[in-house]
Amino acid sequence: MSAVMRNLVWVIIGVLGAVCLGVIALNRGETINAFWFIAAAAGVYAVAYRLYAGWIAARVMSADPGRATPAHLLNDGRDYVPTHRWITFGHHFAAIAGAGPLVGPTLAAQFGYLPGTLWLLAGAVLGGCVQDMIILWCSTRRNGRTLGQMARDEMGPIAGTAALIGTLLIMVLIVAVLGLVVVNAMKHSPWGTFTVAMTIPIAILVGIYMRTIRPGRVLEGSLIGLFLLLAATVGGGWVAQHPVLGPLFDFDGPELALMVIGYGLVAAILPVWLLLAPRDYISTFIKIGAILLLAFAVVILRPDMHMPALTRFVDGTGPVVAGSIYPFLFITIACGAVSGFHALISSGTTPKMIANEADLRLVGYGSMAMESFVGIMALVAACVLEPGVYFAINSAAGVVGATAEQATATITGWGFPVTPERMHELAAAMGESTLFHRTGGAPSLAVGMATIFAGAFGQGLLAVWYHFAIMFEALFILTAVDAGTRVGRFMLQDMLGNIWRPLGDTASYPSTVLCSAVFVAMWGYFLYIGVIDPLGGINILWPLFGISNQMLAAIALAVASTILVKSGKLRYVWVTAAPAAFLAVTTTVAAWEKLFSADPRVGFLAGADALAAKLAAGTLPAAQLAAAPKLIFNQRLDAALTVFFVIVLWVTIVEAVRISRRHIAGRSVPPLTETPRVPMGAVPAAGD
């Protein structure tokens, strides 16, 4: 195909994507077909990947296919391992795609389908995908250094210390939150627990097969892994119904928490090729396969989006997400558009696996674009539900009423009709006793996915599709826990290596085991306490998840901007500085709201003061008296931690600006720590 024809094809794709997006944005009818969302997303991602990502890779990063990567230079067979680009893509996608792209857009549907759709697309292609790819490039050029260590090396001890401590604490919070979501999803679910458990021996088998039995036979290993994974998925349903095997995989919360903690420790220590990479890779088959199947079902069924473009709750009075559309839409969607957690993966496990800099665009930009599409599909699944059903599932009893009659009356009064009978019928069809007050986003997402699947492939399997969706969510999230744990170990090693160099040696088994155990103990404590105590552990820190994650993204983009300036690429710094500025302002506004809003549902301090006043006046119900002091403490602690994270963010940004200005003025700054270029051909093959 000639260059003219190729350009014409991309022009046509771009025009079609823009037309579809315009239909979504300008539609003001009763409903709009969900097909438009699939077409718009596909067009936007395709053009952004081909043109914007291609331009960044060539001009901004100057990606060099002939330059040896750390995976070759430091190949130790454990952490640094040159890995096939599609396996690396699978690992990276599985690691970054946790709860965020599933749950965040589902909760943000409260505001209507339009705001979430626009942010998922624009935020990803201009911010999230850019962050992932450029941080991956920065780390790959620095022997796989973590984000905090890069901040210290490039910006000095002030910003570096703040970034190292801040990123480590945020990582502990994120992994513990993801672990709690996994535990809640698999609790008393033999099907989900069996399928997720089987991915571990399957991954080990595939890892050994592709490394020792049939080296380089990626297609063969992929087919074996896919077949076994599908068998485990189907077999999970049979196991769940078996009178003997079913109870063997039926665990309560504390048992599952200990299992997740133990798995995290093992995954952080074992060679990356043996468990982590193949497990993430084969899990990606289910993740992407289920999302593409959902998109296919939408194309066949073409369901209407029943949620309006904008709801009455954009003013901050919503029952699902407390706070106005700005800034809380951006904090709620988080990972589907931009995620600081991704920067930790991009500077953790993945740069140690990149076999060629030509893979940076696929792995960095492509993985995040795929995650954004997951977010679009989650939003579609939520918005095809009747709004009354959506709000009945996602609204807490304290907001709409404890009984079915009270809840449906309140929601109908908002202008979203729903009846107790409709909710009871839906719960029975899904195999559940009730769907009222199933907050958190995951249950309503499962209902939406099951509704679409059943509409396209048969209503008789509605309950099966619902439980498949629940299992799918658990599988989706656990892969972020194991990769996050390994990255946390790298972060801890980098931090401790500044104090005593041997502790920073990733090739040292004693350092690896020690730092893995310490990091797992950190997030494992919060996870376990959160499981056994609904007011303790990670439940205390849960409200900080969205804000801290977005602040981390702003920090990562600020570090990347500094590196671009010091690399002589000042004219391109807007690529990272623009999204960094938007995120910094947005998260600071959100933090201000969480600290000082007079609405007790929004502000930490207002919530604590309101509860303290009721406690002092003796107006609290007897059932809330015992928990009130702990809730008051939790909210005040969250307020203090919010202040800490804001300080870390702005210290990093101020230092980034200071170092950049000094460099532009020709004054002394910390030296650029990019490693010297070594030609790929100069690196001896493994074993030579």
Side-chain angles (χ1 to χ4, degrees):
M1 183 183 294
S2 67
V4 174
M5 288 301 298
R6 284 198 302 270
N7 292 335
L8 180 61
V9 168
W10 284 106
V11 168
I12 293 173
I13 292 173
V15 170
L16 290 176
V19 169
C20 294
L21 192 58
V23 170
I24 296 170
L26 300 176
N27 177 72
R28 291 299 180 268
E30 290 296 319
T31 57
I32 182 173
N33 193 290
F35 171 77
W36 292 104
F37 293 78
I38 307 293
V44 169
Y45 298 138
V47 172
Y49 182 82
R50 174 66 176 81
L51 300 180
Y52 191 46
W55 176 80
I56 292 174
R59 296 296 182 88
V60 180
M61 301 182 342
S62 301
D64 182 359
R67 181 187 181 117
T69 63
H72 292 283
L73 294 170
L74 304 175
N75 187 354
D76 60 6
R78 187 167 70 247
D79 294 319
Y80 292 85
V81 179
T83 307
H84 190 278
R85 66 197 306 245
W86 286 110
I87 297 178
T88 308
F89 172 88
H91 157 73
H92 190 74
F93 172 75
I96 65 174
L102 296 174
V103 175
T106 302
L107 298 178
Q110 165 193 272
F111 299 115
Y113 65 73
L114 183 58
T117 300
L118 295 179
W119 177 236
L120 281 165
L121 295 177
V125 301
L126 298 177
C129 299
V130 172
Q131 173 205 244
D132 290 21
M133 180 169 66
I134 290 187
I135 291 296
L136 180 58
W137 166 72
C138 291
S139 183
T140 301
R141 289 282 178 95
R142 287 159 179 78
N143 285 339
R145 284 294 197 186
T146 61
L147 176 64
Q149 189 61 41
M150 285 194 294
R152 181 180 175 86
D153 292 342
E154 298 289 345
M155 299 165 63
I158 297 176
T161 301
L164 279 167
I165 296 174
T167 55
L168 183 66
L169 292 179
I170 292 173
M171 192 59 155
V172 170
L173 187 158
I174 290 174
V175 176
V177 165
L178 295 174
L180 184 62
V181 175
V182 171
V183 169
N184 288 337
M186 294 197 300
K187 186 165 55 180
H188 299 301
S189 174
W191 185 356
T193 302
F194 173 82
T195 302
V196 171
M198 287 302 101
T199 62
I200 298 173
I202 292 172
I204 292 175
L205 173 62
V206 171
I208 293 174
Y209 184 90
M210 290 194 294
R211 185 171 177 87
T212 61
I213 299 176
R214 298 276 285 175
R217 303 287 182 171
V218 175
L219 179 60
E220 292 178 13
S222 301
L223 292 175
I224 292 172
L226 178 60
F227 173 77
L228 293 176
L229 191 57
L230 291 175
T233 303
V234 175
W238 176 79
V239 167
Q241 301 299 322
H242 196 279
V244 177
L245 296 178
L248 294 178
F249 289 92
D250 188 347
F251 299 103
D252 60 18
E255 292 174 317
L256 285 169
L258 292 175
M259 292 178 186
V260 170
I261 291 169
Y263 169 72
L265 178 61
V266 172
I269 295 173
L270 288 180
V272 69
W273 62 265
L274 181 60
L275 176 59
L276 189 69
R279 186 188 181 282
D280 289 351
Y281 176 59
I282 62 176
S283 295
T284 297
F285 286 123
I286 292 294
K287 290 184 174 187
I288 296 181
I291 291 300
L292 293 181
L293 183 62
L294 185 64
F296 178 68
V298 168
V299 172
I300 294 175
L301 193 61
R302 293 187 297 280
D304 287 332
M305 302 282 276
H306 292 107
M307 189 72 73
L310 294 169
T311 71
R312 55 179 287 179
F313 300 125
V314 296
D315 62 355
T317 59
V320 180
V321 177
S324 57
I325 190 170
Y326 183 84
F328 290 104
L329 168 78
F330 306 94
I331 302 304
T332 301
I333 286 182
C335 305
V338 185
S339 172
F341 175 70
H342 297 186
L344 301 183
I345 302 297
S346 293
S347 60
T349 52
T350 308
K352 299 172 178 64
M353 299 166 60
I354 290 288
N356 192 296
E357 285 196 2
D359 301 342
L360 293 173
R361 179 164 61 141
L362 171 68
V363 176
Y365 202 97
S367 293
M368 178 57 211
M370 187 66 218
E371 177 169 356
S372 179
F373 185 65
V374 171
I376 289 288
M377 295 312 304
L379 184 68
V380 168
C383 292
V384 298
L385 294 174
E386 301 161 38
V389 170
Y390 168 86
F391 286 111
I393 297 174
N394 285 292
S395 300
V399 176
V400 296
T403 68
E405 290 73 19
Q406 291 172 333
T408 53
T410 300
I411 295 168
T412 301
W414 292 337
F416 304 119
V418 65
T419 64
E421 292 75 23
R422 169 62 177 146
M423 293 302 299
H424 292 322
E425 290 171 3
L426 188 61
M430 299 293 169
E432 296 283 346
S433 58
T434 182
L435 289 172
F436 281 104
H437 317 311
R438 300 287 296 275
T439 59
S444 62
L445 172 62
V447 172
M449 290 177 64
T451 301
I452 294 172
F453 281 139
F457 306 121
Q459 292 289 337
L461 297 176
L462 190 60
V464 173
W465 284 118
Y466 173 79
H467 287 90
F468 169 79
I470 294 293
M471 179 278 297
F472 163 76
E473 292 171 24
L475 180 64
F476 215 96
I477 298 165
L478 185 60
T479 50
V481 173
D482 53 22
T485 301
R486 198 177 191 94
V487 172
R489 186 251 289 180
F490 293 144
M491 295 167 65
L492 197 58
Q493 285 180 302
D494 272 351
M495 180 182 293
L496 296 178
N498 292 311
I499 301 172
W500 189 40
R501 188 171 296 276
L503 288 176
D505 183 7
T506 58
S508 166
Y509 257 121
S511 172
T512 294
V513 174
L514 174 63
C515 291
S516 297
V518 170
F519 185 73
V520 169
M522 293 167 69
W523 67 259
Y525 168 80
F526 287 105
L527 169 61
Y528 188 79
I529 297 301
V531 169
I532 64 176
D533 180 5
L535 300 178
I538 194 56
N539 294 304
I540 301 173
L541 306 177
W542 187 287
L544 300 175
F545 176 78
I547 288 179
S548 64
N549 188 42
Q550 297 304 91
M551 284 184 178
L552 184 55
I555 290 171
L557 288 164
V559 173
S561 299
T562 306
I563 290 174
L564 288 178
V565 171
K566 293 174 62 179
S567 300
K569 299 177 181 291
L570 176 62
R571 63 188 180 278
Y572 300 129
V573 76
W574 59 267
V575 171
T576 52
F582 177 81
L583 288 173
V585 172
T586 299
T587 52
T588 301
V589 172
W592 181 271
E593 288 287 312
K594 296 301 291 182
L595 286 170
F596 302 116
S597 172
D599 184 350
R601 296 178 59 239
V602 178
F604 291 136
L605 297 177
D609 292 344
L611 192 56
K614 291 180 181 179
L615 181 63
T619 58
L620 282 177
Q624 299 181 20
L625 285 175
K630 200 164 191 177
L631 288 171
I632 294 170
F633 170 80
N634 290 354
Q635 295 205 65
R636 289 174 177 165
L637 176 62
D638 287 341
L641 288 173
T642 299
V643 172
F644 170 75
F645 288 139
V646 170
I647 292 173
V648 169
L649 168 65
W650 284 102
V651 165
T652 305
I653 290 176
V654 168
E655 282 296 287
V657 172
R658 186 181 71 85
I659 294 295
S660 297
R661 291 184 64 183
R662 288 180 64 88
H663 177 80
I664 294 169
R667 301 168 66 185
S668 64
V669 296
L672 194 69
T673 58
E674 180 176 307
T675 55
R677 183 184 187 276
V678 176
M680 189 73 77
V683 180
D688 289 359

